[in-house]
């Protein structure tokens, strides 16, 4: 069952890493932490940019609505 689970994870696009030892596993976990920290930072930057654009868009919509009355 475990082998079938591994194969399914490998083939369905999920991240999956084989570890050959406890030390190898520790290294892979550390690398994933670094990768996730970079991804989290990039996402937060993107999120702030999107929210800033939406905020501007809402203000512009309000101004247009007021001007059209």
């Amino acid at each position: 069952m475990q082998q079938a689970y591994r194969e399914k994870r490998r083939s369905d696009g999920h991240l999956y890493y084989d570890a050959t030892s406890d030390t190898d596993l520790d290294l892979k976990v550390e690398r994933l932490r670094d990768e996730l920290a970079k991804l989290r930072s990039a996402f937060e930057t993107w999120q702030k940019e999107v929210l800033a654009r939406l905020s501007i868009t809402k203000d512009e919509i309000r101004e247009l609505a007021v001007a059209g009355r």
Side-chain angles (χ1 to χ4, degrees), residues 27-61:
L27 288 171
K28 286 182 175 23
V29 168
E30 288 298 320
R31 287 182 188 142
L32 280 173
R33 283 184 187 152
D34 293 344
E35 288 179 43
L36 290 172
K38 289 177 189 175
L39 288 171
R40 192 175 300 111
S41 177
F43 174 76
E44 288 170 358
T45 299
W46 172 83
Q47 186 179 37
K48 288 175 186 174
E49 290 174 5
V50 168
L51 291 174
R53 288 179 189 165
L54 287 174
S55 176
I56 291 168
T57 302
K58 286 179 185 177
D59 291 341
E60 290 172 349
I61 290 171

Side-chain angles (χ1 to χ4, degrees), residues 1-9:
M1 286 175 62
Q2 188 175 11
Q3 186 64 30
Y5 177 81
R6 284 187 218 158
E7 290 304 319
K8 187 171 184 176
R9 295 292 70 88

